[in-house]
Amino acid sequence: MVDEQQPKLRIRRQGKVNVVELEDRKILEELLIAQLGEQLGSLVDAEAEPRLVLDFKKVEHLSSAALGILITLDKQVKGRRGKLALANIQPQIYEVFKITRLNKLFSIQDTADAAVQALA
Amino acid sequence: MPVVPFDQALPHRIVIASDLHAARQVEEQVLRLTEAKGYSKECAFAIRLSLEEALVNAHRHGNRCDAAKKITVSFRIDRRRAVIRVSDEGSGFDPCCVPDPTCPERICLPNGRGIMLMRSYLDEVTYSPRGNEVQLVKERC
């Protein structure tokens, strides 16, 4: 069966920074993750030096495949001399980043505003 | 010595096509049982995450995304613990040979974290001798 679920993103511009709110509670579906990667990748490709904040406020579950997309996105951003920050990660999800030590790889801030400041 | 022997019979057994949509329905069925048995939100989070990783591994690495192959999920969810087995039709692998995804040369790779997450969140993760079946054990909390 083909899963037609699309990732739900709310994008707003704050100065030079694109703030993307991830609206899905669960980021588990393989197709959804792939589409999320494509959509975020397009956002990065649209700018010379992209500055991107991903807001995880609503995310309650994610898989290792979703972590993989974030790593790929981080490479894309750095490849264009941009900056990426993650924000509002719930404690349970932050634990996943800690276990995999990806909390050392990504800039992770408590709030979206703090993340925007970090990229200024 | 594992708390739950690998040959212990489990009351529920579901065979699905190697397809992640079907796998997710099994996942929801297991999670409904944990909820009914009073497992905490944190415990359910650990089970969902680990089962997701096990099912994706069975589909992608075991069955090589071949929808003609099957994934078998057996489980027992009681008031003491959750025991879930996931098997695929692949040739298996040696879990001891899986590299540490947190080492500096692998930290930037986009994959290879599933088994580590399962081991971190569960009380037991054991594999059949052939390596094509994994048993997940989580004590109720």
Side-chain angles (χ1 to χ4, degrees):
Chain A
M1 186 185 288
V2 176
D3 191 335
E4 293 178 348
Q5 192 184 1
Q6 294 278 331
K8 298 180 195 75
L9 306 178
R10 188 188 298 256
I11 305 167
R12 70 172 192 275
R13 189 80 179 178
Q14 208 167 321
K16 292 180 177 176
V17 181
N18 278 317
V19 180
V20 180
E21 288 179 34
L22 305 170
E23 298 279 297
D24 292 286
R25 212 164 54 81
K26 297 178 205 164
I27 307 180
L28 298 171
E29 297 279 348
E30 191 141 317
L31 187 60
L32 180 114
I33 291 170
Q35 288 172 340
L36 181 63
E38 281 175 25
Q39 290 187 18
L40 294 174
S42 302
L43 208 56
V44 168
D45 287 341
E47 305 214 11
E49 292 181 20
R51 293 178 190 196
L52 188 64
V53 168
L54 297 185
D55 188 336
F56 282 77
K57 187 166 57 185
K58 293 184 181 161
V59 179
E60 294 175 6
H61 292 278
L62 54 72
S63 65
S64 66
L67 296 177
I69 287 296
L70 295 179
I71 291 168
T72 303
L73 184 71
D74 188 50
K75 285 179 186 166
Q76 274 177 276
V77 169
K78 285 175 179 162
R80 299 179 77 84
R81 292 178 298 165
K83 291 178 182 174
L84 171 69
L86 315 182
N88 269 324
I89 297 179
Q90 296 186 20
Q92 276 188 334
I93 300 288
Y94 186 72
E95 190 65 23
V96 174
F97 282 84
K98 263 174 71 179
I99 289 166
T100 54
R101 297 195 193 163
L102 292 175
N103 59 328
K104 306 289 181 195
L105 189 75
F106 294 110
S107 166
I108 299 178
Q109 306 295 328
D110 287 344
T111 65
D113 284 343
V116 170
Q117 291 291 321
L119 300 192
Chain B
M1 191 72 175
V3 171
V4 182
F6 222 98
D7 56 0
Q8 193 176 87
L10 301 177
H12 301 282
R13 184 173 181 271
I14 301 173
V15 181
I16 56 170
S18 198
D19 166 76
L20 289 178
H21 186 83
R24 199 122 311 116
Q25 290 176 328
V26 177
E27 201 174 291
E28 293 303 330
Q29 190 173 339
V30 169
L31 266 294
R32 277 196 297 275
L33 271 176
T34 63
E35 195 179 346
K37 299 286 182 186
Y39 284 55
S40 68
K41 193 179 164 194
E42 291 75 21
C43 199
F45 177 89
I47 292 169
R48 184 189 288 280
L49 180 83
S50 304
L51 182 53
E52 170 72 19
E53 299 297 340
L55 289 165
V56 169
N57 283 350
H59 172 66
R60 189 181 291 164
H61 303 297
N63 290 341
R64 306 275 176 197
C65 304
D66 180 353
K69 292 187 174 175
K70 306 286 185 199
I71 295 173
T72 303
V73 184
S74 310
F75 52 95
R76 185 184 67 235
I77 314 293
D78 59 30
R79 294 200 175 273
R80 194 168 174 198
R81 63 174 69 98
V83 182
I84 307 163
R85 283 184 209 130
V86 178
S87 69
D88 58 60
E89 295 187 55
S91 54
F93 76 110
D94 182 354
C96 298
C97 293
V98 176
D100 177 3
T102 65
C103 66
E105 60 271 24
R106 303 194 76 83
I107 190 83
C108 289
L109 296 181
N111 46 27
R113 294 175 177 81
I115 293 174
M116 178 192 210
L117 286 172
M118 287 193 282
R119 285 179 172 149
S120 298
Y121 277 97
L122 299 177
D123 295 289
E124 273 185 23
V125 178
T126 46
Y127 286 86
S128 63
R130 187 173 134 192
N132 71 326
E133 185 171 21
V134 63
Q135 176 172 279
L136 316 174
V137 179
K138 179 71 178 172
E139 301 292 328
R140 195 185 82 150
C141 57

